[in-house]
Amino acid sequence: AVTRARITGRVVLGDGSTAVGKTFELIRQLPQAYLEHRIDQPDGSFSIEVAPAEWTLRMQEPGFPPIQRSGLEVGPGETRDVGALALVQGGMLVLHPPTDERLDCLVMTPADEFVCGVYSPTLPLRSQLLAPGDYVLLARTASRAAVRMPFAITANAETALRPELPVGVVQRIEVRPEPGK
């Protein structure tokens, strides 16, 4: 029998109210496993027994920006404390594209970690709720050069961006291996 591991932490709400009843998921890729946990401790704390592996914690509560912690690696008998996870009031990114072309957009952290894409059936484009803080927008169209734009999100507010995308030049690159390689 393999010795189990443990993931611990605490969920807090930005307004000071209790997190009892809120849920989150623990996901393991290989072999695939999925655990759902409902917070039942009045202080929001949790302690979950898991198989030793690398886990991702994901929390998607309506009305709050999603929380994700990846790379939670725990070995047999180990405990990994994720600390306090705060459900806070978020803000939204609103994009006004410079052309009628489809705008491909990604929201990243300043450390280049993926946060979300920005999709919408109508203009302007709107992101999901984002936690307050600094972000980077990566935007491009089929005929324009990609741009990288820093921006900040404030709680309970919309941040509007009008990305200026320079006209790009389509280039074809052909690679031919050396004979005999």
Side-chain angles (χ1 to χ4, degrees):
V2 175
T3 304
R4 304 282 287 172
R6 192 165 288 285
I7 295 176
T8 63
R10 192 167 158 244
V11 176
V12 297
L13 299 181
D15 65 3
S17 62
T18 181
V20 169
K22 306 287 185 210
T23 61
F24 63 85
E25 312 162 311
L26 285 170
I27 303 149
R28 179 182 68 194
Q29 293 300 321
L30 296 171
Q32 240 180 6
Y34 172 87
L35 303 171
E36 187 173 278
H37 182 76
R38 182 175 299 278
I39 308 252
D40 58 6
Q41 297 300 310
D43 67 350
S45 64
F46 60 87
S47 180
I48 304 165
E49 193 174 273
V50 295
E54 184 175 316
W55 292 87
T56 296
L57 183 148
R58 186 171 56 202
M59 188 167 196
Q60 296 178 286
E61 274 294 321
F64 296 98
I67 294 173
Q68 183 164 315
R69 297 289 183 276
S70 300
L72 302 174
E73 196 156 334
V74 286
E78 291 181 353
T79 296
R80 177 73 184 262
D81 185 359
V82 298
L85 304 173
L87 284 170
V88 297
Q89 293 301 307
M92 194 173 288
L93 173 63
V94 179
L95 291 173
H96 301 276
T99 70
D100 289 340
E101 287 183 86
R102 189 174 138 251
L103 190 61
D104 292 324
C105 300
L106 298 177
V107 175
M108 311 290 284
T109 68
D112 288 330
E113 296 165 327
F114 175 77
V115 175
C116 69
V118 181
Y119 315 98
S120 180
T122 59
L123 295 178
L125 302 175
R126 294 178 177 278
S127 73
Q128 66 185 34
L129 280 175
L130 298 169
D134 294 326
Y135 296 90
V136 174
L137 174 70
L138 303 179
R140 69 183 178 123
T141 69
S143 69
R144 295 180 177 253
V147 295
R148 179 181 175 94
M149 296 177 64
F151 68 96
I153 290 292
T154 305
N156 301 310
E158 292 185 347
T159 299
L161 288 182
R162 296 179 189 281
E164 293 298 323
L165 297 147
V167 174
V169 177
V170 176
Q171 296 181 345
R172 182 177 170 185
I173 300 172
E174 193 172 307
V175 178
R176 293 187 184 164
E178 292 180 35
K181 296 250 174 170

